[in-house]
Every structure is written in structure tokens, then in C-alpha cells.
């Protein structure tokens, strides 16, 4: 006790120290709290069969490719897929319907306007909301203006529409999915710039009980420290959860009373909250007590250029990517469906065969930034030139890639694609990126076949499946 009194006396004479300690403790606590979704993820091993293998080689070589060959359409009796789009984003929407969702025969497409996209019908999901949404709701006015212009035969420019309309689609979208397919085992929700690897989804769902409540996705932090599944990574809900969330008229019935729909019960919430995916999570917790089951990085909202492969992600299954352009979506889909026939799970290392195929031509690229971030210590010879930078990376057991620019060498313990650098580069000189391909080979990437010809890694024999974390 005497020691504590002495310490208190000293600190009282130095109030600056007290402030410093408070700031340090606050920062430490905040950092730990902020890292929660990135804590080590529990994993398990599970043998799963292939539901959606690539096309057989003889089919891939034919002139007319059926990219939906081998797609397990019978599983769509158990899985209801919903695609949320924005009216007017025709290039993105068409690309998705020509690729990722081209094989989904029971697809529900929701938007803020009714239209036809090819042979698909788009539902105006906002038209199913109660009229009370129009009252004291400035953000909803963009929808009212659009409807009025459409009825009067006018064209509404994209700049006149509000991105804030997107949040109003979530609750009626969930209602629509369940009312349309009350007996489905699973409900999958995508956006038009989200790429899904269907084989990963079906393998994942085969391990779970759909009669139990499940709400799966990538965690994003909302208000009051609550977590929700980020719409930009896609998310999945089970029939067991839906039954609790949107109760039927009577036990065993599939008739859903209008007053039980989420869009009716939580209208005030979605008017006040900026994010519809967050409101959905709050509604789930309020009604069922069930929280998000985080499955990141299998669900990820990373762009293709930023998708990050660590050693411990090498065999982790990959399900989603975000913000793909129409061209990227089409190219990735064609590659995925025509790559060499393979029954192994699609993991982070599998994608390297696509993103890093250029490594067949050498371990480095000029005028390229692979998004390496950590500069090596200033006194190291790695900063002399690109060759020394790469050599030191090779000798560092933690280094997987490097970059050299403006006499600065950076090393990273992960693998990323990155993107091209303008050769003018603001007059800043060369920019070179490299990858330690010898280390890649020890991990399994870039092995040779029985004829000595190079072939790229095509997945792990056994995946490292993530166990959901309740947030």
C-alpha cells in the first residue's frame, strides 16, 4: 500500500505522465478491440467433394463452350440466390449475369427499378415497401422522383439517383427470398460486383446443418460495437434462421403474414441507419439473439489486386472477391471454368495460378507495384538496387515478395498482385516488384509435371476450413 501511495504522489506532481499513461492504455485497449475480427481463426479439416469442377479439357477446346457444364443445378432446389443490383449499372449487371450467376436458374434479381436484362427479369424491390417509407424520408425521395419520371416517359440520369437508396433494399430483399422459397435450405445474397466461387460455397454448406440458425459472412463493424456481414463480400443465411426471423402464420405453414416481414417491423431502423446490411444484422440479433458467424477471409471484400495470401492462408478456401470490373469478372470466370480439370478445393493458393501466371516469364516485373508495404531497415544494402532488394528477400525466411522504388526496398510476408505503375512515375525513377519464386516452389506453386513442363499450383489436397467465430 505504501508503494502505491508513493507512486500516486509522484504522478500527482507530474500530471503530464498521468495523461501519457491514460493515452497509452486507451490506445492499447482500442487496438485490441479493433483487432478482434483479425484474431487467429479456429480451423478444422474436412474432406469435401467437388460440386462444380472446371470443364473437361475436351469441352474447353471446343468452339462453343457451355460454361455451365457440370454445374450442380439440382442443388438450386436447396439454395436460393439473390442478386442485388443498381439500375443503370448495365455493364456490371450484364457481366455478372453472363458469368457468376449465368448458371443460377432460380436467380432473384432486385433493384430500384423494374427492367429486363437479357432474358432475366429484374424486380423493383422498393415497390414492395409500405407507403409509409415515403413519409419524412429525404433519402427515399430519389426513388419517388425516379418512379415519377419513368411514368411520365422521362429519362433519369444516373447522377440524379441517390446511392443512399441501396440501404432500403436489404430488408425487402430478405423478405422476398424467404417468401419466394420458404423451403430452401440456404439463402445466398450477392451484389453485382461480387465474384463467387460456387464450388467453395457448396463445399462449405455441405458441412453445416441448415435447420440450425446460421448467418455467415465477412465481419464489418457497425454502431455501438456491433458486427454485421458486409454486403460487399456476400453473405449466407440458413432456413433455420429465416424461420425464427420471419415467422409463418402458424407452425408448419409457409404463409408469411405481411406484418411479420422485416421491412415492416424495422422500418424506423432503416430510416435512421446509413447501412442496410447493418440493419439486417441488428434485426437478426433483436429477433433471434443470433449473431454473425464470421468466416473471413473465406468471405472477403478484397479487390483482385489486393487479395492477400499469407502462408497460413495457403490452403484456406476462397469464396468471394469484391469490386471486380466487368472485364475482370469475365476473364476470371473463363479462366476458372477452363483451367485444367481439378477436383481439389479452391483455395487462396489456387488463385495464384491466375493472378501470378506471369511468373512463368521471370520472378520480377518492371513498372509494377505489388503493394509491398514494409521498408527494410535503413542501414541494409537492400536499398542499393532492385537486385539487392530481391536477394535480401530471398535470404529472409519471412519474405515472400518485394518492391524497389526511389532507392527504397520493401519486403512483405504475403503475396499480392498489385497493379501497373505509370512509366512516367512523376519523375521518381524505376519501380520494380518481385516475388521469391523459389520459396513459392517449396509451398507447391510452380511445380513441374512428369514431362518436366512447368505447371501452376492448382489447390491443396485438403483445405483448411475456418470455424465460424460468433461476433
Amino acid at each position: 500500500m505504501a508503494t502505491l501511495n508513493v507512486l500516486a504522489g509522484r504522478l500527482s506532481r507530474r500530471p503530464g505522465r498521468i495523461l501519457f499513461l491514460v493515452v497509452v492504455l486507451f490506445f492499447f485497449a482500442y487496438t485490441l478491440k479493433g483487432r478482434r475480427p483479425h484474431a487467429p481463426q479456429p480451423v478444422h479439416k474436412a474432406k469435401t467433394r467437388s460440386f462444380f469442377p472446371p470443364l473437361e479439357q475436351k469441352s474447353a477446346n471446343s468452339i462453343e463452350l457451355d460454361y455451365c457444364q457440370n454445374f450442380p443445378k439440382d442443388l438450386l432446389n436447396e439454395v436460393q440466390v439473390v442478386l442485388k443490383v443498381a439500375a443503370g449499372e448495365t455493364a456490371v449487371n450484364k457481366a455478372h449475369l453472363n458469368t457468376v450467376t449465368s448458371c443460377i436458374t432460380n436467380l432473384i434479381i432486385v433493384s430500384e427499378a423494374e427492367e429486363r436484362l437479357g432474358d432475366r427479369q429484374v424486380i423493383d424491390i422498393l415497390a414492395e415497401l409500405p407507403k409509409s417509407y415515403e413519409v419524412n424520408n429525404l433519402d427515399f425521395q430519389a426513388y419517388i422522383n425516379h418512379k415519377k419520371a419513368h411514368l411520365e416517359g422521362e429519362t433519369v440520369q444516373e447522377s440524379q439517383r441517390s446511392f443512399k437508396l441501396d440501404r432500403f433494399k436489404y430488408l425487402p430483399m430478405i423478405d422476398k427470398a424467404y417468401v419466394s422459397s420458404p423451403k430452401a435450405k440456404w439463402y445466398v445474397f450477392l451484389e453485382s460486383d461480387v465474384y463467387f466461387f460456387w464450388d467453395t460455397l457448396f463445399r462449405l454448406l455441405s458441412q453445416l446443418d441448415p435447420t440450425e440458425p446460421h448467418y455467415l459472412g465477412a465481419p464489418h463493424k457497425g454502431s455501438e460495437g456491433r458486427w454485421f456481414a458486409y454486403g460487399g463480400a456476400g453473405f449466407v443465411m440458413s432456413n433455420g434462421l429465416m424461420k425464427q426471423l420471419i415467422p409463418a402464420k402458424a407452425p408448419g405453414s409457409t404463409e408469411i403474414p405481411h406484418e411479420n416481414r422485416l421491412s415492416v417491423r424495422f422500418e424506423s431502423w432503416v430510416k435512421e441507419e446509413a447501412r442496410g446490411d447493418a440493419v439486417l444484422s441488428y434485426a437478426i440479433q433483436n429477433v433471434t439473439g443470433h449473431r454473425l458467424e464470421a468466416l473471413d477471409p473465406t468471405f472477403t471484400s478484397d479487390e483482385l489486386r489486393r487479395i492477400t495470401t499469407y502462408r497460413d492462408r495457403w490452403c484456406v478456401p476462397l469464396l468471394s472477391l469484391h469490386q471486380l470490373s466487368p472485364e475482370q469478372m469475365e476473364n476470371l470466370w473463363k479462366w476458372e471454368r477452363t483451367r485444367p480439370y481439378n477436383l481439389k478445393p479452391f483455395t487462396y493458393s489456387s488463385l495464384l495460378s491466375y493472378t501470378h501466371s506471369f511468373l512463368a516469364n521471370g520472378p520480377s516485373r518492371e513498372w509494377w507495384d505489388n503493394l509491398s508495404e514494409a521498408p527494410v531497415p535503413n542501414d541494409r544494402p537492400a536499398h542499393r538496387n532492385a537486385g539487392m532488394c530481391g536477394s535480401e528477400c530471398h535470404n529472409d525466411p519471412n519474405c515472400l515478395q518485394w518492391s524497389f522504388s526511389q532507392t527504397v526496398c520493401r519486403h512483405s510476408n504475403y503475396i499480392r498482385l498489385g497493379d501497373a505503375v505509370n512509366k512516367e512515375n512523376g519523375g521518381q525513377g524505376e519501380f520494380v516488384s518481385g516475388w521469391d519464386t523459389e520459396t513459392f516452389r517449396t509451398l507447391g506453386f510452380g511445380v513441374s509435371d512428369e514431362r518436366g513442363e512447368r505447371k501452376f499450383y492448382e489447390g491443396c489436397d485438403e483445405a483448411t476450413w475456418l470455424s465460424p467465430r460468433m461476433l
Side-chain angles (χ1 to χ4, degrees):
M1 181 65 70
T3 302
L4 291 177
N5 289 334
V6 171
L7 178 61
R10 289 178 178 176
L11 289 176
S12 65
R13 293 191 297 271
R14 297 175 175 84
R17 290 187 178 184
I18 296 177
L19 179 60
F20 175 75
L21 286 174
V22 169
V23 171
V24 169
L25 289 173
F26 175 79
F27 176 78
F28 181 71
Y30 178 82
T31 302
L32 286 180
K33 187 175 182 182
R35 287 180 179 174
R36 185 179 176 188
H38 304 291
Q41 182 88 333
V43 299
H44 65 275
K45 298 289 185 179
K47 289 188 176 181
T48 55
R49 70 182 182 89
S50 174
F51 290 92
F52 190 25
L55 304 181
E56 295 188 40
Q57 198 63 39
K58 60 181 180 181
S59 299
N61 291 334
S62 61
I63 297 176
E64 294 294 332
L65 290 183
D66 177 10
Y67 289 105
C68 294
Q69 183 191 57
N70 298 335
F71 190 91
K73 294 181 180 179
D74 56 314
L75 289 182
L76 296 178
N77 296 325
E78 304 175 354
V79 180
Q80 177 61 66
V81 182
V82 179
L83 175 64
K84 179 171 65 66
V85 304
E89 293 183 0
T90 54
V92 176
N93 297 342
K94 287 180 179 179
H96 207 280
L97 292 173
N98 288 333
T99 57
V100 181
T101 45
S102 61
C103 307
I104 308 300
T105 54
N106 63 344
L107 182 66
I108 296 175
I109 313 173
V110 299
S111 178
E112 70 270 28
E114 182 177 346
E115 60 181 333
R116 295 284 296 182
L117 289 176
D119 60 352
R120 304 272 194 166
Q121 181 64 41
V122 180
I123 299 170
D124 179 358
I125 198 66
L126 300 184
E128 303 190 8
L129 293 173
K131 286 291 184 180
S132 52
Y133 271 76
E134 301 176 16
V135 180
N136 298 324
N137 193 352
L138 292 177
D139 289 344
F140 203 70
Q141 193 61 42
Y143 172 68
I144 307 303
N145 295 340
H146 168 69
K147 293 285 287 186
K148 182 175 181 294
H150 181 72
L151 291 173
E152 295 175 356
E154 299 177 7
T155 301
V156 179
Q157 298 297 322
E158 186 65 26
S159 59
Q160 294 176 265
R161 300 174 186 167
S162 173
F163 72 94
K164 294 181 180 180
L165 278 180
D166 187 72
R167 78 176 193 264
F168 297 107
K169 300 174 188 175
Y170 278 89
L171 298 186
M173 172 178 76
I174 305 299
D175 291 331
K176 188 71 175 182
Y178 188 47
V179 170
S180 300
S181 304
K183 294 183 178 180
K185 294 182 178 180
W186 299 100
Y187 301 86
V188 178
F189 300 91
L190 301 173
E191 298 184 359
S192 55
D193 61 351
V194 173
Y195 192 97
F196 243 47
F197 295 97
W198 293 110
D199 189 57
T200 303
L201 175 75
F202 296 138
R203 287 177 190 257
L204 170 64
L205 298 184
S206 71
Q207 304 173 55
L208 301 172
D209 183 355
T211 65
E212 294 292 324
H214 289 292
Y215 170 45
L216 309 167
H220 199 88
K221 202 167 190 178
S223 61
E224 300 177 6
R226 295 176 293 183
W227 299 95
F228 62 91
Y230 178 51
F235 60 94
V236 176
M237 299 167 65
S238 68
N239 183 272
L241 179 65
M242 287 290 204
K243 283 183 176 179
Q244 295 181 24
L245 185 62
I246 313 175
K249 188 172 185 180
S253 171
T254 57
E255 182 181 349
I256 311 298
H258 186 266
E259 61 272 15
N260 286 0
R261 299 189 180 191
L262 298 179
S263 55
V264 175
R265 295 154 70 193
F266 297 98
E267 175 180 340
S268 61
W269 288 17
V270 78
K271 283 182 177 179
E272 297 169 1
E273 174 68 47
R275 299 194 60 117
D277 41 9
V279 172
L280 172 61
S281 178
Y282 307 157
I284 291 173
Q285 293 182 42
N286 179 273
V287 176
T288 71
H290 194 73
R291 294 176 297 163
L292 170 65
E293 297 167 79
L295 275 177
D296 55 313
T298 289
F299 286 86
T300 179
S301 59
D302 286 344
E303 304 170 58
L304 196 61
R305 70 188 186 93
R306 296 196 67 88
I307 192 74
T308 307
T309 303
Y310 296 96
R311 283 179 172 85
D312 60 2
R313 286 187 184 181
W314 193 262
C315 289
V316 170
L318 179 60
L319 174 56
S320 58
L321 297 169
H322 189 213
Q323 293 185 343
L324 268 69
S325 68
E327 182 181 9
Q328 287 177 323
M329 193 164 288
E330 290 170 359
N331 290 339
L332 181 55
W333 173 255
K334 291 177 180 178
W335 171 83
E336 184 195 356
R337 298 304 297 130
T338 59
R339 66 196 182 103
Y341 193 85
N342 194 330
L343 297 178
K344 297 177 182 178
F346 194 88
T347 65
Y348 270 74
S349 58
S350 304
L351 186 64
L352 295 177
S353 301
Y354 176 73
T355 57
H356 289 70
S357 61
F358 56 83
L359 292 179
N361 300 319
S364 63
R365 297 183 79 169
E366 294 185 349
W367 305 112
W368 192 269
D369 180 5
N370 64 8
L371 306 179
S372 294
E373 295 175 351
V376 301
N378 290 333
D379 58 350
R380 298 266 288 276
H383 298 293
R384 294 176 185 172
N385 53 56
M388 292 296 291
C389 182
S391 178
E392 287 205 23
C393 175
H394 178 67
N395 293 328
D396 181 348
N398 296 315
C399 185
L400 291 174
Q401 67 173 39
W402 56 270
S403 69
F404 183 83
S405 175
Q406 291 183 275
T407 69
V408 175
C409 174
R410 292 177 172 83
H411 288 176
S412 293
N413 64 343
Y414 53 72
I415 306 169
R416 280 181 181 161
L417 172 61
D419 43 31
V421 173
N422 189 313
K423 289 187 178 182
E424 296 298 326
N425 199 21
Q428 297 176 5
E430 66 176 334
F431 206 128
V432 182
S433 289
W435 296 260
D436 189 17
T437 52
E438 289 191 26
T439 300
F440 286 15
R441 289 191 186 96
T442 65
L443 295 171
F445 179 84
V447 297
S448 300
D449 60 19
E450 60 277 4
R451 294 178 295 180
E453 296 178 356
R454 184 186 181 90
K455 69 173 185 178
F456 287 111
Y457 191 82
E458 288 294 342
C460 299
D461 292 322
E462 191 176 46
T464 303
W465 290 95
L466 305 178
S467 300
R469 288 173 298 134
M470 300 296 290
L471 293 179

